[in-house]
Amino acid sequence: MKASGAEDGGRPAGSPAPSSPSLEWKFSQVFGERMAGEEVHEVDIISAIEFDKSGDHLATGDRGGRVVLFERTDVTNHGSQKDLEKQDYPISRHPEFRYKTEFQSHEPEFDYLKSLEIEEKINKIKWCQPANHALFLLSTNDKTIKYWKVQERKVKKISEMNVDASIAEQNGNIASSSMNCPSGYLPNGGCSERPYNHLNNELSFPPGRLPSLRLPMVTSQDTNPIARCRRIYAHAHDYHINSISNNSDGETFISADDLRINLWNLEISNQSFNIVDVKPANMEDLTEVITSAEFHPTHCNMLAYSSSKGSIRLIDLRQSALCDNHSKMFEERDTPGSRSFFTEIIASISDIKFAKDERHILSRDYMTLKLWDINMESGPVATFQVHEYLRPKASLCDLYENDSIFDKFDCCQSGDGLRVATGSYSNLFRVFGCMTGSNEATTLEASKNPMRQQVQTPSRPARSLSTLTRVVRRGSESPAVDANGNTYDFTTKLLHLAWHPTENLIASAAMNSLYMYYA
């Protein structure tokens, strides 16, 4: 499979480029597939996707406040790799998942003090550390965060009672048949026409003994996963929550809204600590807002947050209790004379992720996907163009009119750190190789035929920002058309996707459908 890309502008002449073959993506599974012409209810549209650290479980949230869990089957069914070799089982080529359970995480609410309706839509889902064969996860809507425990519970079932089936069918039950008496009753329930040692034809007293007791038996059958809300973290945000992130210490997490970031302890729901506050004394002086925040994967004292101006700030919790002053700030300088009304809007970062190597940060703004080096603040080390054909002013005006310019796309990175991915319009998503010398830039469609939209697209030469780094720009497309030569459909957008932590498997959300692809 061929993929578009740019020539390596930072490689010395004559030096060979490292080999990085493009992956061949194939359809794996789909859950909730929409039939042609089928109407999609807004409450069923998927709004969040997250794999757990092991990759054995996947969670999705939707606009109706529901959380749906999926579990991996190709591992649990066949056991370990050694067991497969011993028992000669066929080894699955890629991870496969099945539906596990679902539960209602949030309900619509109304804030009477502010006359504000709070939607039940799930904004983010984060997995926590499992314990005692139970799964734990955090889910949030605009105002309230909930901590859920999902555990397998045995379903107890009463076995059939020890009664002759023919007798039970004839008389209904023991109690009713034993009370049938054609004549009048004596005091204490006796029957005048029957001896006292004979209650009915079916139950008789043996001489000198009581009849044998027939008791039901309780047996445990199947196990069902049960979700229970352990904690509710509420009333800590005046603005809509856009991010939650677990700390590597396994005890705390952060939640971020437009102006503040709060630090929580998982076991304490009635108290949080404000660690970042960008709200000015006069709201008229407000120039930027927080758009995303994430803890460092291993250093529990470090976290990063992005802003609507396209900057990323790295803060250290050891410096002070209120981290208004950042340790590092990553920002790309504007080209002189290139600013316009839309410059700041399209520069707003919608999502950030720490890379697997813990040295880089991946960010997504409206037009591009950027990779930043934590040790270099001057600019990104790589820039990937997602839909550059929309940059002309006429296209941006149309996007502004239909509010598409404010869409927030997720980004993700492969478990080996060699590739990054993000979504686009017309249910397309793009996969880029991020290693030095890689020209991989693949366009896939969220359907059973992911390569239907895949064609080779023209490339743009790379440009250098400084002598210290090479900035790669690739994946640009012809103006006003998509990768297949057609105009994009802005009503079908692929905002949410996640990459399996250890396998080349991508889960993507197209409206109410969950598509999975492997390579």
Side-chain angles (χ1 to χ4, degrees), residues 197-245:
N197 67 343
H198 192 280
L199 292 179
N200 56 28
N201 294 330
E202 293 78 32
L203 292 177
S204 60
F205 290 99
R209 291 183 299 164
L210 291 174
S212 60
L213 295 176
R214 295 180 172 91
L215 298 177
M217 298 290 292
V218 177
T219 59
S220 297
Q221 300 290 332
D222 298 331
T223 57
N224 285 342
I226 305 297
R228 185 167 63 92
C229 185
R230 293 283 306 276
R231 301 279 189 277
I232 298 178
Y233 314 91
H235 312 300
H237 288 277
D238 293 330
Y239 303 93
H240 290 176
I241 299 173
N242 54 49
S243 301
I244 53 176
S245 179

Short mmCIF file of all heavy atoms in Angstrom, two decimals, residues 197-245:
data_model
loop_
_atom_site.label_atom_id
_atom_site.label_comp_id
_atom_site.label_asym_id
_atom_site.label_seq_id
_atom_site.Cartn_x
_atom_site.Cartn_y
_atom_site.Cartn_z
N ASN A 197 -54.03 -38.55 59.66
CA ASN A 197 -52.70 -38.88 59.15
C ASN A 197 -52.66 -38.90 57.63
O ASN A 197 -51.74 -39.41 57.05
CB ASN A 197 -52.24 -40.23 59.69
CG ASN A 197 -53.09 -41.37 59.14
OD1 ASN A 197 -54.18 -41.13 58.63
ND2 ASN A 197 -52.58 -42.61 59.27
N HIS A 198 -53.67 -38.31 56.99
CA HIS A 198 -53.71 -38.32 55.53
C HIS A 198 -54.23 -36.96 55.06
O HIS A 198 -55.43 -36.71 55.05
CB HIS A 198 -54.64 -39.44 55.04
CG HIS A 198 -54.50 -39.69 53.55
ND1 HIS A 198 -55.11 -38.91 52.61
CD2 HIS A 198 -53.81 -40.65 52.88
CE1 HIS A 198 -54.83 -39.36 51.41
NE2 HIS A 198 -54.03 -40.42 51.55
N LEU A 199 -53.30 -36.07 54.68
CA LEU A 199 -53.70 -34.72 54.24
C LEU A 199 -54.26 -34.74 52.84
O LEU A 199 -55.27 -34.11 52.56
CB LEU A 199 -52.50 -33.78 54.30
CG LEU A 199 -52.00 -33.45 55.72
CD1 LEU A 199 -50.80 -32.54 55.64
CD2 LEU A 199 -53.09 -32.84 56.56
N ASN A 200 -53.68 -35.47 51.94
CA ASN A 200 -54.19 -35.58 50.58
C ASN A 200 -53.61 -36.83 49.95
O ASN A 200 -52.91 -37.60 50.60
CB ASN A 200 -53.88 -34.32 49.74
CG ASN A 200 -52.39 -34.04 49.71
OD1 ASN A 200 -51.58 -34.95 49.82
ND2 ASN A 200 -52.05 -32.76 49.57
N ASN A 201 -53.92 -37.00 48.67
CA ASN A 201 -53.49 -38.22 48.00
C ASN A 201 -51.98 -38.25 47.74
O ASN A 201 -51.41 -39.31 47.49
CB ASN A 201 -54.22 -38.38 46.66
CG ASN A 201 -55.71 -38.59 46.88
OD1 ASN A 201 -56.10 -39.16 47.90
ND2 ASN A 201 -56.51 -38.13 45.93
N GLU A 202 -51.36 -37.06 47.73
CA GLU A 202 -49.96 -37.02 47.34
C GLU A 202 -49.01 -37.03 48.53
O GLU A 202 -47.92 -37.56 48.46
CB GLU A 202 -49.68 -35.76 46.49
CG GLU A 202 -50.37 -35.76 45.14
CD GLU A 202 -51.84 -35.40 45.24
OE1 GLU A 202 -52.19 -34.61 46.11
OE2 GLU A 202 -52.62 -35.94 44.44
N LEU A 203 -49.40 -36.37 49.63
CA LEU A 203 -48.54 -36.29 50.80
C LEU A 203 -49.18 -37.11 51.91
O LEU A 203 -50.29 -36.82 52.35
CB LEU A 203 -48.39 -34.84 51.25
CG LEU A 203 -47.61 -33.92 50.31
CD1 LEU A 203 -47.59 -32.50 50.85
CD2 LEU A 203 -46.20 -34.44 50.11
N SER A 204 -48.48 -38.11 52.38
CA SER A 204 -49.00 -38.96 53.46
C SER A 204 -47.97 -39.09 54.56
O SER A 204 -46.77 -39.00 54.31
CB SER A 204 -49.35 -40.36 52.91
OG SER A 204 -48.20 -40.96 52.37
N PHE A 205 -48.45 -39.27 55.78
CA PHE A 205 -47.56 -39.45 56.90
C PHE A 205 -47.23 -40.93 57.03
O PHE A 205 -48.11 -41.75 57.22
CB PHE A 205 -48.23 -38.99 58.21
CG PHE A 205 -48.40 -37.50 58.29
CD1 PHE A 205 -49.62 -36.91 57.98
CD2 PHE A 205 -47.35 -36.70 58.68
CE1 PHE A 205 -49.77 -35.55 58.07
CE2 PHE A 205 -47.52 -35.33 58.78
CZ PHE A 205 -48.72 -34.75 58.47
N PRO A 206 -45.98 -41.29 56.97
CA PRO A 206 -45.62 -42.68 57.29
C PRO A 206 -45.95 -42.96 58.74
O PRO A 206 -46.00 -42.04 59.57
CB PRO A 206 -44.11 -42.72 57.02
CG PRO A 206 -43.83 -41.54 56.15
CD PRO A 206 -44.84 -40.50 56.54
N PRO A 207 -46.20 -44.20 59.06
CA PRO A 207 -46.57 -44.53 60.45
C PRO A 207 -45.49 -44.09 61.42
O PRO A 207 -44.33 -44.48 61.32
CB PRO A 207 -46.70 -46.06 60.42
CG PRO A 207 -46.95 -46.39 58.99
CD PRO A 207 -46.22 -45.39 58.19
N GLY A 208 -45.90 -43.25 62.36
CA GLY A 208 -45.00 -42.79 63.41
C GLY A 208 -43.98 -41.77 62.99
O GLY A 208 -43.13 -41.39 63.79
N ARG A 209 -44.04 -41.30 61.75
CA ARG A 209 -43.06 -40.31 61.29
C ARG A 209 -43.73 -39.17 60.53
O ARG A 209 -44.86 -39.31 60.06
CB ARG A 209 -42.02 -40.97 60.38
CG ARG A 209 -41.08 -41.96 61.11
CD ARG A 209 -40.05 -42.49 60.14
NE ARG A 209 -40.68 -43.22 59.03
CZ ARG A 209 -40.05 -43.52 57.89
NH1 ARG A 209 -38.81 -43.14 57.73
NH2 ARG A 209 -40.68 -44.19 56.95
N LEU A 210 -42.98 -38.05 60.39
CA LEU A 210 -43.46 -36.94 59.59
C LEU A 210 -43.10 -37.16 58.13
O LEU A 210 -42.17 -37.90 57.81
CB LEU A 210 -42.83 -35.63 60.07
CG LEU A 210 -43.27 -35.14 61.46
CD1 LEU A 210 -42.47 -33.92 61.87
CD2 LEU A 210 -44.76 -34.82 61.46
N PRO A 211 -43.82 -36.55 57.19
CA PRO A 211 -43.44 -36.67 55.77
C PRO A 211 -42.09 -36.01 55.52
O PRO A 211 -41.68 -35.10 56.23
CB PRO A 211 -44.57 -35.93 55.05
CG PRO A 211 -45.10 -34.98 56.04
CD PRO A 211 -44.99 -35.67 57.37
N SER A 212 -41.38 -36.49 54.51
CA SER A 212 -40.07 -35.93 54.18
C SER A 212 -40.22 -34.50 53.65
O SER A 212 -41.15 -34.19 52.91
CB SER A 212 -39.39 -36.79 53.12
OG SER A 212 -40.19 -36.84 51.95
N LEU A 213 -39.27 -33.61 54.06
CA LEU A 213 -39.30 -32.21 53.63
C LEU A 213 -38.70 -32.09 52.23
O LEU A 213 -37.68 -32.70 51.92
CB LEU A 213 -38.51 -31.34 54.60
CG LEU A 213 -39.08 -31.24 56.02
CD1 LEU A 213 -38.15 -30.42 56.89
CD2 LEU A 213 -40.47 -30.63 55.99
N ARG A 214 -39.35 -31.30 51.42
CA ARG A 214 -38.87 -31.05 50.07
C ARG A 214 -38.50 -29.57 49.97
O ARG A 214 -39.38 -28.72 49.86
CB ARG A 214 -39.92 -31.44 49.04
CG ARG A 214 -40.24 -32.94 49.02
CD ARG A 214 -41.30 -33.24 47.98
NE ARG A 214 -41.49 -34.66 47.80
CZ ARG A 214 -42.37 -35.39 48.47
NH1 ARG A 214 -43.13 -34.80 49.38
NH2 ARG A 214 -42.50 -36.68 48.24
N LEU A 215 -37.20 -29.24 50.02
CA LEU A 215 -36.74 -27.85 50.02
C LEU A 215 -36.08 -27.51 48.69
O LEU A 215 -35.41 -28.34 48.08
CB LEU A 215 -35.73 -27.62 51.14
CG LEU A 215 -36.26 -27.85 52.56
CD1 LEU A 215 -35.14 -27.64 53.56
CD2 LEU A 215 -37.41 -26.91 52.86
N PRO A 216 -36.24 -26.25 48.22
CA PRO A 216 -35.57 -25.83 46.98
C PRO A 216 -34.07 -25.69 47.22
O PRO A 216 -33.61 -25.41 48.32
CB PRO A 216 -36.20 -24.48 46.65
CG PRO A 216 -36.67 -23.97 47.97
CD PRO A 216 -37.08 -25.17 48.78
N MET A 217 -33.28 -25.88 46.14
CA MET A 217 -31.83 -25.75 46.19
C MET A 217 -31.40 -24.48 45.48
O MET A 217 -31.91 -24.13 44.42
CB MET A 217 -31.17 -26.96 45.51
CG MET A 217 -31.47 -28.29 46.18
SD MET A 217 -30.68 -28.43 47.77
CE MET A 217 -28.97 -28.52 47.25
N VAL A 218 -30.45 -23.73 46.07
CA VAL A 218 -29.92 -22.52 45.47
C VAL A 218 -28.59 -22.86 44.79
O VAL A 218 -27.67 -23.37 45.43
CB VAL A 218 -29.70 -21.42 46.52
CG1 VAL A 218 -29.08 -20.19 45.88
CG2 VAL A 218 -31.02 -21.07 47.18
N THR A 219 -28.51 -22.63 43.50
CA THR A 219 -27.29 -22.91 42.75
C THR A 219 -26.80 -21.64 42.08
O THR A 219 -27.59 -20.78 41.68
CB THR A 219 -27.53 -23.97 41.67
OG1 THR A 219 -28.56 -23.50 40.78
CG2 THR A 219 -27.95 -25.30 42.30
N SER A 220 -25.49 -21.48 41.93
CA SER A 220 -24.89 -20.34 41.24
C SER A 220 -24.67 -20.70 39.79
O SER A 220 -24.03 -21.71 39.49
CB SER A 220 -23.56 -19.95 41.89
OG SER A 220 -23.78 -19.53 43.22
N GLN A 221 -25.20 -19.89 38.92
CA GLN A 221 -25.08 -20.15 37.49
C GLN A 221 -24.06 -19.21 36.86
O GLN A 221 -22.90 -19.28 37.19
CB GLN A 221 -26.46 -20.00 36.82
CG GLN A 221 -27.52 -20.95 37.37
CD GLN A 221 -27.26 -22.39 36.97
OE1 GLN A 221 -26.66 -22.64 35.93
NE2 GLN A 221 -27.71 -23.33 37.78
N ASP A 222 -24.51 -18.31 36.00
CA ASP A 222 -23.61 -17.41 35.29
C ASP A 222 -23.20 -16.23 36.18
O ASP A 222 -23.77 -15.98 37.23
CB ASP A 222 -24.28 -16.88 34.02
CG ASP A 222 -24.61 -18.00 33.05
OD1 ASP A 222 -23.88 -19.02 33.09
OD2 ASP A 222 -25.58 -17.87 32.30
N THR A 223 -22.18 -15.49 35.72
CA THR A 223 -21.75 -14.26 36.37
C THR A 223 -22.03 -13.09 35.44
O THR A 223 -21.80 -13.17 34.24
CB THR A 223 -20.25 -14.30 36.71
OG1 THR A 223 -19.51 -14.53 35.51
CG2 THR A 223 -19.96 -15.41 37.71
N ASN A 224 -22.54 -12.01 35.99
CA ASN A 224 -22.85 -10.81 35.23
C ASN A 224 -22.06 -9.64 35.78
O ASN A 224 -21.93 -9.50 37.00
CB ASN A 224 -24.34 -10.48 35.30
CG ASN A 224 -25.17 -11.41 34.44
OD1 ASN A 224 -24.66 -12.08 33.55
ND2 ASN A 224 -26.47 -11.47 34.73
N PRO A 225 -21.51 -8.78 34.91
CA PRO A 225 -20.81 -7.58 35.40
C PRO A 225 -21.81 -6.55 35.93
O PRO A 225 -22.80 -6.23 35.26
CB PRO A 225 -20.07 -7.07 34.16
CG PRO A 225 -20.83 -7.63 33.00
CD PRO A 225 -21.43 -8.92 33.45
N ILE A 226 -21.55 -6.05 37.11
CA ILE A 226 -22.41 -5.07 37.75
C ILE A 226 -21.61 -3.80 37.97
O ILE A 226 -20.50 -3.83 38.51
CB ILE A 226 -22.96 -5.59 39.10
CG1 ILE A 226 -23.68 -6.92 38.92
CG2 ILE A 226 -23.88 -4.55 39.73
CD1 ILE A 226 -24.89 -6.85 38.03
N ALA A 227 -22.16 -2.66 37.54
CA ALA A 227 -21.51 -1.36 37.72
C ALA A 227 -22.10 -0.64 38.92
O ALA A 227 -23.32 -0.57 39.08
CB ALA A 227 -21.67 -0.51 36.46
N ARG A 228 -21.22 -0.13 39.76
CA ARG A 228 -21.66 0.59 40.96
C ARG A 228 -20.86 1.87 41.09
O ARG A 228 -19.64 1.86 40.96
CB ARG A 228 -21.49 -0.28 42.20
CG ARG A 228 -22.04 0.34 43.48
CD ARG A 228 -22.12 -0.72 44.58
NE ARG A 228 -20.81 -1.23 44.93
CZ ARG A 228 -20.05 -0.71 45.89
NH1 ARG A 228 -20.47 0.34 46.57
NH2 ARG A 228 -18.87 -1.25 46.18
N CYS A 229 -21.55 2.98 41.35
CA CYS A 229 -20.89 4.27 41.49
C CYS A 229 -20.29 4.37 42.89
O CYS A 229 -21.00 4.33 43.88
CB CYS A 229 -21.88 5.41 41.24
SG CYS A 229 -21.13 7.04 41.25
N ARG A 230 -18.97 4.52 42.95
CA ARG A 230 -18.28 4.59 44.24
C ARG A 230 -18.17 6.02 44.77
O ARG A 230 -18.27 6.25 45.98
CB ARG A 230 -16.87 4.00 44.09
CG ARG A 230 -16.83 2.51 43.80
CD ARG A 230 -17.10 1.71 45.05
NE ARG A 230 -16.20 2.07 46.14
CZ ARG A 230 -14.98 1.58 46.31
NH1 ARG A 230 -14.49 0.69 45.44
NH2 ARG A 230 -14.23 1.96 47.33
N ARG A 231 -17.92 6.97 43.89
CA ARG A 231 -17.74 8.37 44.32
C ARG A 231 -18.37 9.29 43.27
O ARG A 231 -18.42 8.97 42.08
CB ARG A 231 -16.26 8.72 44.45
CG ARG A 231 -15.46 7.89 45.43
CD ARG A 231 -15.65 8.35 46.86
NE ARG A 231 -14.71 7.66 47.73
CZ ARG A 231 -14.89 6.45 48.24
NH1 ARG A 231 -16.00 5.78 47.94
NH2 ARG A 231 -13.97 5.90 49.03
N ILE A 232 -18.82 10.45 43.74
CA ILE A 232 -19.31 11.51 42.87
C ILE A 232 -18.58 12.79 43.23
O ILE A 232 -18.63 13.25 44.38
CB ILE A 232 -20.84 11.71 43.00
CG1 ILE A 232 -21.58 10.43 42.59
CG2 ILE A 232 -21.29 12.89 42.15
CD1 ILE A 232 -23.09 10.54 42.74
N TYR A 233 -17.87 13.36 42.26
CA TYR A 233 -17.09 14.57 42.47
C TYR A 233 -17.82 15.72 41.76
O TYR A 233 -17.79 15.82 40.53
CB TYR A 233 -15.68 14.42 41.90
CG TYR A 233 -15.01 13.10 42.28
CD1 TYR A 233 -15.13 11.98 41.46
CD2 TYR A 233 -14.28 12.98 43.46
CE1 TYR A 233 -14.52 10.78 41.80
CE2 TYR A 233 -13.68 11.77 43.81
CZ TYR A 233 -13.80 10.68 42.97
OH TYR A 233 -13.21 9.49 43.31
N ALA A 234 -18.49 16.54 42.54
CA ALA A 234 -19.37 17.56 41.96
C ALA A 234 -19.10 18.93 42.58
O ALA A 234 -18.36 19.07 43.57
CB ALA A 234 -20.83 17.17 42.17
N HIS A 235 -19.71 19.95 41.97
CA HIS A 235 -19.72 21.33 42.49
C HIS A 235 -18.31 21.93 42.62
O HIS A 235 -18.05 22.71 43.52
CB HIS A 235 -20.42 21.39 43.86
CG HIS A 235 -21.73 20.69 43.90
ND1 HIS A 235 -22.79 21.03 43.09
CD2 HIS A 235 -22.15 19.62 44.64
CE1 HIS A 235 -23.80 20.23 43.34
NE2 HIS A 235 -23.45 19.37 44.27
N ALA A 236 -17.42 21.56 41.72
CA ALA A 236 -16.06 22.11 41.77
C ALA A 236 -15.71 22.92 40.53
O ALA A 236 -14.63 23.51 40.49
CB ALA A 236 -15.04 20.99 41.96
N HIS A 237 -16.58 22.92 39.53
CA HIS A 237 -16.28 23.62 38.28
C HIS A 237 -17.43 24.56 37.91
O HIS A 237 -18.60 24.14 37.85
CB HIS A 237 -16.05 22.62 37.15
CG HIS A 237 -14.75 21.88 37.26
ND1 HIS A 237 -13.56 22.40 36.82
CD2 HIS A 237 -14.46 20.66 37.78
CE1 HIS A 237 -12.58 21.54 37.06
NE2 HIS A 237 -13.10 20.47 37.63
N ASP A 238 -17.08 25.81 37.66
CA ASP A 238 -18.08 26.78 37.20
C ASP A 238 -18.26 26.72 35.69
O ASP A 238 -19.28 27.20 35.17
CB ASP A 238 -17.66 28.19 37.60
CG ASP A 238 -17.70 28.40 39.11
OD1 ASP A 238 -18.53 27.75 39.77
OD2 ASP A 238 -16.88 29.18 39.62
N TYR A 239 -17.28 26.15 35.00
CA TYR A 239 -17.33 26.06 33.55
C TYR A 239 -17.28 24.60 33.13
O TYR A 239 -17.05 23.71 33.95
CB TYR A 239 -16.17 26.86 32.93
CG TYR A 239 -16.17 28.30 33.37
CD1 TYR A 239 -15.41 28.69 34.48
CD2 TYR A 239 -16.92 29.26 32.72
CE1 TYR A 239 -15.42 30.02 34.91
CE2 TYR A 239 -16.94 30.57 33.13
CZ TYR A 239 -16.19 30.94 34.24
OH TYR A 239 -16.20 32.26 34.66
N HIS A 240 -17.49 24.34 31.87
CA HIS A 240 -17.62 22.96 31.39
C HIS A 240 -16.29 22.22 31.50
O HIS A 240 -15.25 22.71 31.06
CB HIS A 240 -18.11 22.95 29.95
CG HIS A 240 -19.53 23.39 29.81
ND1 HIS A 240 -20.14 23.53 28.59
CD2 HIS A 240 -20.47 23.72 30.73
CE1 HIS A 240 -21.39 23.93 28.76
NE2 HIS A 240 -21.60 24.05 30.06
N ILE A 241 -16.35 21.02 32.04
CA ILE A 241 -15.16 20.18 32.15
C ILE A 241 -14.79 19.66 30.76
O ILE A 241 -15.61 19.08 30.06
CB ILE A 241 -15.43 19.00 33.11
CG1 ILE A 241 -15.76 19.51 34.51
CG2 ILE A 241 -14.23 18.06 33.16
CD1 ILE A 241 -16.19 18.42 35.48
N ASN A 242 -13.53 19.86 30.38
CA ASN A 242 -13.07 19.38 29.07
C ASN A 242 -12.08 18.23 29.17
O ASN A 242 -11.83 17.55 28.18
CB ASN A 242 -12.47 20.52 28.24
CG ASN A 242 -11.36 21.26 28.98
OD1 ASN A 242 -10.44 20.66 29.53
ND2 ASN A 242 -11.44 22.59 28.99
N SER A 243 -11.50 18.00 30.36
CA SER A 243 -10.47 16.96 30.50
C SER A 243 -10.48 16.38 31.90
O SER A 243 -10.74 17.09 32.88
CB SER A 243 -9.07 17.51 30.19
OG SER A 243 -8.99 18.05 28.91
N ILE A 244 -10.17 15.10 31.98
CA ILE A 244 -9.79 14.45 33.23
C ILE A 244 -8.59 13.57 32.92
O ILE A 244 -8.45 13.06 31.81
CB ILE A 244 -10.94 13.61 33.85
CG1 ILE A 244 -11.50 12.62 32.83
CG2 ILE A 244 -12.02 14.49 34.42
CD1 ILE A 244 -12.55 11.69 33.40
N SER A 245 -7.70 13.40 33.90
CA SER A 245 -6.49 12.62 33.67
C SER A 245 -6.03 11.99 34.98
O SER A 245 -5.97 12.68 36.01
CB SER A 245 -5.38 13.50 33.09
OG SER A 245 -4.19 12.76 32.88
#
